[in-house]
Amino acid sequence: MREIWPGDSYPLGATYDGAGTNFALFSEVAERVELCLFDDEGNEERVSLAEVDGFVWHCYLPGVGPGQRYGYRVHGPYSPAEGLRCNPNKLLIDPYAKAVEGSVNWDQAVYGYRFGEPDSRDDSDSAAYVPRSVVVNPFFGWGHDRPPATPYHDTVLYEAHVRGLTITHPKIPDRIRGTYAALGHPEIIDHLTALGVTAIELMPVHQFVTDHMLEKRGLANYWGYNTIGFFAPHNAYSSSGQRGGQVLEFKAMVKALHEAGIEVILDVVYNHTAEGNHLGPTLSMRGIDNANYYRLVEDDRRYYMDTTGTGNSLLMRSPHALQLIMDSLRYWVRDMHVDGFRFDLAASLARELHEVDRLSAFFDLVQQDPVLSQVKLIAEPWDVGPGGYQVGNFPARWTEWNGRYRDTIRDLWRGEPAALPEFASRLTGSSDLYQDDSRRPAASINFVTCHDGFPLQDLVSYNGKHNEANGEDNRDGADDNRSWNCGVEGPATGPVAQLRERQKRNFLATLFLSQGVPMLSHGDEIGRTQQGNNNAYCQDNEISWVDWGAVLEAGATAEEDAGTVERRQLLEFTRRLARLRRDHPVFRRRRFFYGRPVRGSHDELSDIAWLTPSGTEMTDADWTNGYAKALAVFLNGDAITEPDSRGRRIADDSFLLLFNAHHEMLKFTVPKNYGELWCTELDTAMPGQSESRMCRAGEAVPVTGRSVRVLRRVRHTSS
């Protein structure tokens, strides 16, 4: 006879204390709750939870410890029209499970209704077809681990997929490729540090589900934006054969990255779950307390409000849904030691009713939370609901993926007219979006590419999407890519290939020279391609994976193809850009430019100046010239008067950035009064340049068509 103690109503979930485990589950609508324990043979033992405090059902089981598999059965009303969907025949995942074993086997039994009869009730038992929650050991030897706490203005983000980044890496042992262990391997860490990366932003690692329709097409939910466990690291990314081993492996990965000074940011999906709309499966919260977790249509509660495009949205007015999210966030910071979060479709989190409210309860809770207010908070500032595009409207401590930066930089380099005024704003940190509410340039997460859309290679190789492999007749994915194939659709050689390489360098140079926080998409530094697929969410294969090939081998050989040589050159060029940004604070200012001389600076020059190719200051007529595609930018290193993160006031070198998005070579006159002698620091037309070319004030400097040239002012030295 099993010994059952009353236990506690908090914390929710399964909590092991070294002697036994406390189980606690919230459900306001439940009439009875059964905790289901499974042994190694799959036999089920049911424990009825007799204790209820504040709608939390709980018990403590002595002797139950890490590795124990469990689930819940919730007895209660089933009336879809009233938003009630309890069904004890459906085994449910604990919303607070710290680990999950197995995956969904798409049988009729995992649905709460009979196919073709959405208002019916299906009473077949789902236990054989759904994952198990797992009790985990919370103890881990963190040692002296501490967060790197890199200031935002010094941050370089690297968006990556755990599996896609590591699955083909030739220097990582086969048995751990595609896992958390691979991400913490020295080969990956060395690659990141050489790129100047200070924070890796991981695509979803919360336990997620591949939906039924994708499996029927032989595809997978590769990206992972289909969460079913907000506390559990995704089990398929673990190399451990131990039950719950994904938790220890994830922690070891974080510890290794921290030792290298790299923060770990999680891309989190708190706006919806894998249970989908009214025709979706019953896997967890739907069967526990549907109306307390999900937004339902007021006049017909069988249906779900959907501002995410995925079938459902969490109910941000519910204190229980908010508690779930806040408890999850704190768990990942306190127990898993992550350093921040990027919130998928963050505008959905601000929807308490219909409007996007920047002062919604969720943001208020985060603002006052002593743990979460201290980590990096990044918003994807849009969703698919009305008024969902909210770039620039998030609270003061938040940063944002700046989609307007992406669009503007793409427009400039593909030759769109009238791009210069907005380009100037994006280059200097988007003060038009962030300055009015006291935010700084670091509020702008700048990116040219990300997981969603073309990678950099495809941005310069395809005018249109080629998503046939997704099985939707190329109807999925965005049509507005703002891409340019440089004259030939798809793979090319000769002059077209050479132009594409220069265009990639132009995009990367612009990204690293812009004020704000640069974000690099994994593999862009070595020319990753998706073969024209701009919506590779379902492609867990070579279409999405980073192809390391021979790019990591030292030195080129005569037998190597041009593509491998170009990929190596691009990698080295990206590393040079990262070093340039790291070494010069003028490219990562803490405050916006003033556009005038700064008190306390070392000269009387403005901190920034905008110049025409002829070397004169830009006039209103120059800015409104719709066909102008070139300008020079003077960045005054002597005008950096704000202290750095250590309180030091250190003047920097001054730079001239020469941007020529015109298709022909232009001569830029080095302006007088800004410095006498200049040297070329970087030239996207000559990626392998090793020696600096000198030029003087008044001299005409040729800048190749569609290229960037960076000049550094030479300081006078006394003999």
Side-chain angles (χ1 to χ4, degrees):
M1 187 71 177
R2 180 177 292 279
E3 190 174 4
I4 305 172
W5 297 358
D8 298 308
S9 60
Y10 191 84
L12 292 167
T15 306
Y16 174 66
D17 62 6
T21 301
N22 190 84
F23 294 89
L25 178 78
F26 162 79
S27 178
E28 188 172 345
V29 299
E31 297 165 356
R32 184 159 67 95
V33 173
E34 292 176 303
L35 168 66
C36 306
L37 305 176
F38 295 87
D39 63 19
D40 291 342
E41 286 71 44
N43 299 313
E44 179 180 351
E45 175 190 356
R46 301 188 185 184
V47 176
S48 185
L49 302 186
E51 299 291 333
V52 190
D53 295 313
F55 303 114
V56 176
W57 304 70
H58 56 90
C59 76
Y60 180 92
L61 301 183
V64 170
Q68 174 65 59
R69 290 170 289 191
Y70 72 99
Y72 288 104
R73 296 181 185 273
V74 174
H75 299 254
Y78 183 85
S79 176
E82 298 176 76
L84 303 171
R85 294 181 179 269
C86 296
N87 187 338
N89 298 295
K90 309 306 173 185
L91 184 73
L92 304 173
I93 299 169
D94 181 359
Y96 280 74
K98 306 300 193 303
V100 173
E101 181 185 59
S103 58
V104 177
N105 184 347
W106 292 105
D107 185 85
Q108 162 72 75
V110 304
Y111 295 87
Y113 64 94
R114 294 184 296 274
F115 290 159
E117 304 174 52
D119 289 330
S120 64
R121 170 171 157 153
D122 177 84
D123 285 333
S124 54
D125 196 298
S126 69
Y129 307 100
V130 296
R132 307 286 191 256
S133 306
V134 180
V135 178
V136 304
N137 188 342
F139 307 110
F140 179 77
W142 284 109
H144 298 291
D145 180 73
R146 57 185 299 174
T150 305
Y152 261 124
H153 63 278
D154 290 334
T155 296
V156 175
L157 282 168
Y158 187 86
E159 188 196 27
H161 189 283
V162 172
R163 180 168 167 82
L165 178 63
T166 63
I167 191 66
T168 73
H169 200 294
K171 296 185 178 181
I172 293 178
D174 289 349
R175 66 178 183 82
I176 67 169
R177 291 182 188 176
T179 69
Y180 305 119
L183 205 58
H185 191 277
E187 286 291 337
I188 294 296
I189 290 176
D190 289 348
H191 179 73
L192 295 176
T193 54
L195 287 172
V197 171
T198 68
I200 187 166
E201 183 180 299
L202 297 180
M203 292 175 65
V205 297
H206 288 174
Q207 187 69 40
F208 61 84
V209 172
T210 287
D211 61 80
H212 194 187
M213 294 305 297
L214 282 178
E215 280 200 3
K216 286 171 66 175
R217 299 205 304 264
L219 300 171
N221 193 312
Y222 172 69
W223 285 354
Y225 292 94
N226 206 30
T227 305
I228 199 60
F230 292 118
F231 293 76
H234 189 58
N235 53 29
Y237 295 159
S238 174
S239 64
S240 171
Q242 298 180 342
R243 196 175 305 144
Q246 60 265 45
V247 177
L248 296 178
E249 189 171 330
F250 184 93
K251 290 178 177 179
M253 174 201 74
V254 172
K255 186 176 179 181
L257 288 163
H258 280 183
E259 287 174 354
I262 298 173
E263 295 180 301
V264 178
I265 311 292
L266 300 188
D267 190 341
V268 290
V269 188
Y270 292 112
N271 50 73
H272 73 279
T273 77
E275 292 187 293
N277 64 15
H278 65 291
L279 300 178
T282 297
L283 302 174
S284 183
M285 289 181 279
R286 169 170 285 148
I288 294 171
D289 197 327
N290 186 56
N292 256 309
Y293 281 116
Y294 295 116
R295 292 189 67 191
L296 306 178
V297 175
E298 291 296 333
D299 55 357
D300 193 343
R301 293 171 65 79
R302 64 167 55 84
Y303 299 116
Y304 295 78
M305 294 287 291
D306 180 15
T307 59
T308 65
T310 58
N312 66 47
S313 303
L314 285 182
L315 180 61
M316 301 309 295
R317 282 180 292 161
S318 165
H320 307 290
L322 286 170
Q323 181 185 9
L324 173 74
I325 295 172
M326 297 298 291
D327 285 349
S328 169
L329 291 168
R330 280 189 291 264
Y331 171 77
W332 285 97
V333 175
R334 286 176 169 169
D335 289 63
M336 306 296 270
H337 284 209
V338 306
D339 304 282
F341 306 94
R342 178 265 189 189
F343 292 83
D344 176 65
L345 302 181
S348 283
L349 300 176
R351 291 184 185 273
E352 292 187 352
L353 296 171
H354 297 283
E355 300 295 329
V356 175
D357 177 8
R358 63 177 295 175
L359 298 178
S360 70
F362 171 72
F363 296 106
D364 290 342
L365 288 172
V366 170
Q367 181 73 22
Q368 60 78 43
D369 190 276
V371 174
L372 302 180
S373 62
Q374 303 305 308
V375 302
K376 287 183 167 65
L377 303 169
I378 305 171
E380 181 189 28
W382 51 81
D383 66 12
V384 299
Y389 195 73
Q390 293 290 314
V391 173
N393 289 334
F394 279 76
R397 291 190 61 85
W398 286 66
T399 63
E400 301 173 13
W401 269 29
N402 191 343
R404 289 181 62 177
Y405 178 94
R406 171 201 59 204
D407 295 346
T408 301
I409 305 309
R410 289 185 179 191
D411 279 350
L412 177 83
W413 289 115
R414 70 185 178 126
E416 287 296 294
L420 286 185
E422 185 149 3
F423 171 73
S425 180
R426 304 300 151 238
L427 182 75
T428 53
S430 297
S431 59
D432 58 322
L433 299 178
Y434 304 115
Q435 192 170 27
D436 287 348
D437 58 3
S438 80
R439 287 195 278 179
R440 294 185 176 185
S444 177
I445 304 298
N446 299 330
F447 66 103
V448 176
T449 60
C450 63
H451 69 272
D452 191 1
F454 285 143
L456 188 58
Q457 178 67 40
D458 293 0
L459 187 66
V460 300
S461 303
Y462 296 91
N463 282 352
K465 63 188 182 184
H466 297 269
N467 297 354
E468 290 79 9
N470 294 357
E472 299 179 42
D473 297 323
N474 206 33
R475 294 190 302 269
D476 63 303
D479 293 312
D480 180 19
N481 295 291
R482 303 189 186 218
S483 59
W484 178 48
N485 64 16
C486 300
V488 176
E489 189 77 353
T493 57
V496 171
Q498 293 171 9
L499 173 57
R500 289 176 178 176
E501 291 303 309
R502 191 161 72 249
Q503 285 284 79
K504 288 189 289 184
R505 293 191 291 269
N506 291 337
F507 281 120
L508 290 170
T510 306
L511 178 65
F512 277 87
L513 297 174
S514 296
Q515 305 297 322
V517 178
M519 185 183 79
L520 190 65
S521 180
H522 69 316
D524 274 356
E525 71 276 15
I526 57 172
R528 183 175 75 89
T529 177
Q530 293 178 172
Q531 303 165 35
N533 192 319
N534 76 348
N535 189 33
Y537 76 102
C538 56
Q539 300 295 333
D540 187 6
N541 50 49
E542 290 84 356
I543 289 176
S544 296
W545 300 340
V546 174
D547 177 15
W548 294 95
V551 75
L552 299 177
E553 302 300 328
T557 66
E559 292 78 21
E560 285 183 331
D561 60 75
T564 299
V565 175
E566 289 169 347
R567 293 173 71 202
R568 281 216 191 100
Q569 287 181 340
L570 186 63
L571 176 58
E572 180 51 38
F573 181 79
T574 310
R575 289 170 173 170
R576 285 179 58 198
L577 281 170
R579 290 193 296 270
L580 181 66
R581 181 182 181 85
R582 179 199 64 199
D583 294 343
H584 294 286
V586 74
F587 298 119
R588 43 186 176 83
R589 289 169 54 98
R590 296 175 60 218
R591 294 182 173 88
F592 289 108
F593 289 102
Y594 294 94
R596 62 179 184 272
V598 178
R599 185 188 309 172
S601 63
H602 298 278
D603 57 32
E604 295 303 316
L605 297 174
S606 173
D607 57 358
I608 188 171
W610 303 93
L611 309 166
T612 66
S614 63
T616 60
E617 290 200 16
M618 295 273 285
T619 64
D620 289 344
D622 294 320
W623 285 115
T624 57
N625 179 353
Y627 296 99
K629 297 178 182 178
L631 83 167
V633 188
F634 170 71
L635 302 181
N636 188 353
D638 286 328
I640 300 180
T641 59
E642 74 265 22
D644 66 9
S645 56
R646 297 182 181 179
R648 301 171 298 183
R649 296 178 182 271
I650 303 175
D652 191 14
D653 291 323
S654 296
F655 289 85
L656 269 175
L657 314 181
L658 312 180
F659 293 95
N660 181 14
H662 187 56
H663 65 277
E664 293 181 337
M665 184 271 286
L666 292 176
K667 288 191 175 182
F668 282 69
T669 300
V670 179
K672 297 180 179 179
N673 303 323
Y674 289 89
E676 182 59 32
L677 188 63
W678 299 78
C679 66
T680 298
E681 190 75 24
L682 195 79
D683 190 342
T684 62
M686 300 181 66
Q689 171 197 335
S690 58
E691 61 180 66
S692 296
R693 291 169 287 170
M694 296 290 183
C695 54
R696 294 186 176 276
E699 183 178 337
V701 176
V703 179
T704 302
R706 298 193 177 98
S707 75
V708 183
R709 188 165 171 178
V710 178
L711 306 182
R712 178 173 54 83
R713 188 170 66 186
V714 178
R715 291 182 179 273
H716 293 292
T717 58
S718 57
S719 56

